[in-house]
Amino acid sequence: MSMIARLFAGLIAWLQGLFGPRPLRVQFIEGDELPATLPAGRLVVAREDATLWSAGMVCPCGCGRRLEVMLLEGVKPRWDLRLNPRGLPTLHPSVWVKDGCQSHFWLRDGLVQWCGPER
């Protein structure tokens, strides 16, 4: 990618940040447990050495519920975490809350993409 193309892409990303939804940022913590309180606007990832244990976030629907997904190899259900070049997270598969608010969404490049009707 040429320098001008990178500058233009950076400008577009900056403008989207001003006027669009703010992407979730990743915060890594050492250990195998997430903190009791999760900060808004963050995907908190618990890791021990190079092993990813779990990821947690506040439900994006606004209900305030604490959501936690497992990243550890060999457990079920299990999610994969990928970080894009800007360090923004993608989780696979989607996150589906079966009770309460019943949120169902994808987290892609730090942005929540709702499944079904927008919230």
Side-chain angles (χ1 to χ4, degrees), residues 50-109:
T51 303
L52 300 180
W53 284 77
S54 63
M57 62 188 285
V58 176
C59 186
C61 82
C63 72
R65 181 176 181 163
R66 179 182 195 266
L67 302 178
E68 183 174 355
V69 297
M70 296 303 297
L71 304 174
L72 192 61
E73 294 281 339
V75 300
K76 292 187 180 184
R78 179 186 173 278
W79 281 258
D80 289 311
L81 172 66
R82 178 184 56 81
L83 301 179
N84 73 9
R86 292 179 48 214
L88 298 174
T90 293
L91 286 174
H92 183 81
S94 65
V95 177
W96 193 354
V97 180
K98 301 284 185 168
D99 60 350
C101 67
Q102 299 184 351
S103 290
H104 187 196
F105 61 92
W106 290 92
L107 181 62
R108 292 185 176 138
D109 295 323

Side-chain angles (χ1 to χ4, degrees), residues 29-43:
I29 60 165
E30 287 300 319
D32 59 1
E33 290 186 25
L34 294 172
T37 304
L38 298 172
R42 298 268 182 222
L43 179 71

